Amino acid sequence: MSLTLLWTDMMVWILIVALLAWGWVVSRSPQVKKQWHTIFRSPVAMASAIVLIFYLFFTLLDSVHMRFHVENGSVKSSASEHVQYRGEMVSLLDLLFSHTIEKTERTYSAPFATHEYTKSIVVDENDVTRQEYLPLKHVKVSKGESERRDILQRSLTATMLGLCVSLLFVFLHIALNGKGTFGEKVRRVWYGETELPWRTAYLAFTLLLVTFVWMYMLSHHYHVLGTDKVGGDVFYQSLKSIRTGVLIGILTTLVMLPVSIVLGISAGFFGGWIDDVIQYIYTTLNSIPGVLLIAGAVLVMQVMMDNNPQWFETTLERSDLRLLFLILILGMTSWTGLCRLLRAETLKISQVEFVTAAKAFGVSKWKIIFRHIMPNLMHIILISVVLDFSALVLAEAVLSYVGVGVDPTMYSWGNMINQARLEMAREPMVWWSLFSAFIFMFILVLAANLLSDRIQKVLDPRSRS
Amino acid sequence: MLGYILRRILYAVPILIGVNLITFMLFFMINTPDDMARAQLGAKQVTPQMIEAWKAEKGYDKPLFLNSKASGIEKVSDTLFMQESLKLFAFDFGFSDANRDIGSDIKERMGPSLAIALPTFFIALITNISLALLLVLFRGSVLDMSMMVIAVMIMSISGLFYIIAGQVLFSKIWHWVPISGYEPGWSAVKFVILPVIIGVFAGMGAGVRWYRSIFLEQINQDYVRTARAKGLSEISVLFKHVLKNGMLPILTGVVVVIPSLFMGSLIMESFFGIPGLGSYTIDAINSQDFAIVKAMVFLGSVLYIIGLILTDISYTLFDPRVKLS
């Protein structure tokens, strides 16, 4: 087994390291720390953050890719079969769900179904042809139990297990967090007397964990969210799509930030011809309809990739490169808005007394930018980052639907919706793929919107009135 | 005023040249005319002669920026970039790679696009503003809070779901309107009504929040306090003062949307099978028809710039303090 880093994996882990470093810096500045404290004093913000961390956790789980040697005897046969099938690269999430990848059905099946969704023609031993619903190959109802009782029993066990695990985490956190005896701390959390709304956080965490454990445990015996046209498990697909959505949301802003910060500040601070040139560039880019620019760039990239097949060894690498390109393109088309904001704000700050004083003292321009201007722009940058995130997740779905988004072989909510379009026209309707994509996407975007609302409210001086 | 507009129009020229340059580079620097020829002719059984012939026929056989064979001014003018761009400024879009007249295609498809875009635009504007005013009137109440929660939820759902859900409910289950298609004239109504409703609803969350925040910003200002002190009722304060003063930020947001009115909604049109400019563009993108995409990008940019100029002009109409100079 060897670890393999895809391009986007690398970016995501660099981002995580950067975030941790930034968190460390923030924790040393009492002023900024207090601001973050204020943000999380709202229960809604706290719960949203927990949801986002959950999604991030799955993204990270799916961003550790490895290769197994096929001849390696120590690897389970299931994993190596899967390796051959999938172009030799699996992520931790794939390992966790190897049972669902391996056990594909023949075709559509509804959530928790025991039989296929459509009738098939069967010839029985008396040579009579009949149409009937075939049982699913990999659904295991315990012997002597009705299906409903079986599901109920398994659900009960799974829920208990989920509760135990989450309580363990919660108590561990309570024990390590804050001062006082353990009992006292538990009491304070229970009555909601803590400074930060930990009760809400624990509740959200427990809810998410129990739901996941329940679905995961049952996915060993049933298809919890049904199967798609070729019998693939929809639950697994929805979880795989998380990485695509989250990556586009966070990495795009990462790509665009340096460009808009550097250009925005330079335009506002230096003025003159630099300002003119930068303004010209962003007005020009801005006046091209966004979708067209993205579509055009993706098309060009597609042709380029078709002409250079030697760039990638596996299909996964190919779709990963396409994702990377998409992120770059989205970043390049979306920096203009923030750049314009930063330019205006820099112009304003440059006129404020402390900057004029610094100039009069002969402080160098770079020092003024880093000491005085940058810190005063941070809130705008942060607000625009959190606001953009949900818009980008939604944009991914639309672009994939139009055919200029991620690779069609890559799991993404856009691709799921795209497929669902034909399924809705079927009689009877196949609704679960669309439903799963909807739920997974909705929860992510809703959490992001709620958190960004709160951040904007706390950090934006204008909204304090 | 006239001088100002003239200057703005002149200022638009370098921007449009820039737009052309970007689209041109996008398509020709990475993706050579040879690639395009191969894509158009079908990748497999193409001979170099066929590629040359195709390029000569479409006029893609010239050098990109600098023609070293020509002399004098022709060194710059007899190039692919100049040939392709200059015509656009005269709104001569030429022929598509599939040999259709782009100009007449655009004229033909503008109607269906507008038939969806205009009603969506106006209905959305009116409902969003009136809802926002209503919420501001009842600010801080349960109605306000719950509507804000609903607005965030509406915002968090991808537009694709509204379209699919709308089609399933209204067309497939209830059979109120046809699933897709278009007919010119008054019979277009039954094809247009569902996309319009979906368009209005999908934009409602973001719209109401945006207008509400504009009005709330106004309501804390001194002039509102003065108006109240004069004894004006809350409703007339809202409609006579707040709405009027909120017009400036509203205009800024609204006018920028105008180009997308003509361009049509890419997704909506392709979902509902409406032969407008949006689906035209999507088809062109899918068939790699550079000529059409270039024309649409140019058209979109022109409209955007017109929109910006219109914003500035409309400022003077709503706020006499703004003087154009």
Side-chain angles (χ1 to χ4, degrees), chain A residues 140-167:
Chain A
K140 291 174 271 184
V141 181
S142 306
K143 275 211 175 94
E145 297 273 9
S146 75
E147 178 201 339
R148 187 169 294 188
R149 268 186 70 102
D150 187 55
I151 295 177
L152 208 68
Q153 254 169 18
R154 288 187 194 283
S155 303
L156 217 64
T157 338
T159 315
M160 289 312 289
L161 186 76
L163 267 178
C164 290
V165 175
S166 67
L167 280 182

Side-chain angles (χ1 to χ4, degrees), chain B residues 60-190:
Chain B
Y60 289 154
D61 55 348
K62 296 198 174 75
L64 293 182
F65 290 105
L66 203 68
N67 194 345
S68 51
K69 285 183 203 133
S71 57
I73 186 86
E74 294 227 318
K75 251 184 163 40
V76 193
S77 70
D78 194 28
T79 56
L80 195 47
F81 177 67
M82 287 308 252
Q83 295 284 320
E84 293 286 319
S85 307
L86 277 182
K87 280 192 292 182
L88 284 179
F89 282 94
F91 289 94
D92 172 11
F93 297 118
F95 287 85
S96 73
D97 291 344
N99 269 333
R100 286 179 60 87
D101 183 2
I102 299 179
S104 71
D105 268 358
I106 289 179
K107 261 184 224 129
E108 199 177 293
R109 284 166 169 267
M110 208 129 122
S113 275
L114 286 178
I116 291 193
L118 282 183
T120 313
F121 175 73
F122 284 111
I123 296 174
L125 195 66
I126 293 167
T127 32
N128 291 351
I129 289 184
S130 12
L131 271 177
L133 279 174
L134 189 77
L135 293 187
V136 171
L137 186 63
F138 293 105
R139 60 188 171 278
S141 69
V142 182
L143 177 83
D144 186 23
M145 303 283 210
S146 45
M147 275 300 284
M148 278 303 101
V149 174
I150 294 172
V152 178
M153 287 193 167
I154 292 178
M155 275 167 66
S156 305
I157 296 172
S158 166
L160 296 172
F161 289 115
Y162 292 115
I163 298 177
I164 295 176
Q167 273 187 331
V168 167
L169 275 184
F170 295 103
S171 307
K172 202 168 166 231
I173 297 180
W174 294 333
H175 296 288
W176 288 357
V177 285
I179 286 189
S180 66
Y182 189 77
E183 275 168 28
W186 279 109
S187 48
V189 173
K190 67 174 185 283

Side-chain angles (χ1 to χ4, degrees), chain A residues 118-218:
Chain A
T118 42
K119 284 184 175 167
S120 311
I121 297 169
V122 213
V123 184
D124 64 4
E125 57 268 30
N126 305 329
D127 270 352
V128 182
T129 353
R130 274 179 305 156
Q131 278 205 323
E132 59 180 51
Y133 295 104
L134 289 180
L136 293 174
K137 281 185 282 179
H138 300 291
V139 167
K140 291 174 271 184
V141 181
S142 306
K143 275 211 175 94
E145 297 273 9
S146 75
E147 178 201 339
R148 187 169 294 188
R149 268 186 70 102
D150 187 55
I151 295 177
L152 208 68
Q153 254 169 18
R154 288 187 194 283
S155 303
L156 217 64
T157 338
T159 315
M160 289 312 289
L161 186 76
L163 267 178
C164 290
V165 175
S166 67
L167 280 182
L168 193 78
F169 277 113
V170 167
F171 283 135
L172 204 68
H173 186 258
I174 294 179
L176 295 175
N177 187 31
K179 299 179 203 79
T181 63
F182 182 71
E184 219 172 87
K185 283 194 276 186
V186 172
R187 196 194 64 84
R188 273 212 302 272
V189 169
W190 182 262
Y191 290 104
E193 287 164 3
T194 46
E195 197 189 344
L196 290 176
W198 284 115
R199 191 171 55 175
T200 321
Y202 295 146
L203 211 68
F205 174 74
T206 309
L207 202 70
L208 284 171
L209 196 78
V210 168
T211 318
F212 175 72
V213 169
W214 173 66
M215 288 177 99
Y216 181 70
M217 298 270 288
L218 267 86

Side-chain angles (χ1 to χ4, degrees), chain A residues 276 279-281 283-289 291-293 295-297 299-300 302-304 307 340 394 397-398 401-404 414 417 420-421 423-429 434-435 437-439 441-442 445-447 449-450 453 456 462 465, chain B residues 11 14-19 22-23 26-27 30-31 35 38 149 152-161 164-165 167-168 172-173 209 216-217 220 263 266-267 270-272 281-282 284-286 288-289 293 296-297 300-302 304-305 308:
Chain A
D276 289 340
Q279 271 201 68
Y280 173 71
I281 294 175
T283 323
T284 308
L285 266 181
N286 229 357
S287 49
I288 302 179
V291 191
L292 282 182
L293 193 58
L299 261 186
V300 169
Q302 186 62 39
V303 174
M304 197 164 72
N307 289 340
R340 193 201 302 244
L394 293 177
V398 171
Y401 167 75
V402 180
V404 293
I417 299 168
R421 201 182 158 194
E423 291 168 357
M424 298 312 273
R426 287 180 67 97
E427 203 63 56
M429 228 187 299
L434 185 73
F435 176 76
F438 171 77
I439 291 291
M441 216 169 140
F442 177 63
V445 178
L446 184 66
N449 272 337
L450 290 172
D453 251 21
Q456 195 175 14
R462 275 189 316 164
S465 54
Chain B
Y11 184 65
I15 292 180
L16 286 175
I17 293 176
V19 168
I22 290 175
T23 35
L26 203 63
F27 274 87
I30 309 170
N31 199 354
D35 293 330
R38 239 170 267 136
V149 174
V152 178
M153 287 193 167
I154 292 178
M155 275 167 66
S156 305
I157 296 172
S158 166
L160 296 172
F161 289 115
I164 295 176
Q167 273 187 331
V168 167
K172 202 168 166 231
I173 297 180
R209 272 165 56 99
L216 277 184
E217 209 166 290
N220 291 317
M263 300 289 293
L266 295 175
I267 312 303
S270 85
F271 243 109
F272 287 98
T281 316
I282 284 199
I285 287 169
N286 287 331
Q288 303 213 343
D289 199 322
V293 176
M296 295 307 288
V297 169
S301 317
V302 170
Y304 178 81
I305 292 166
L308 286 186

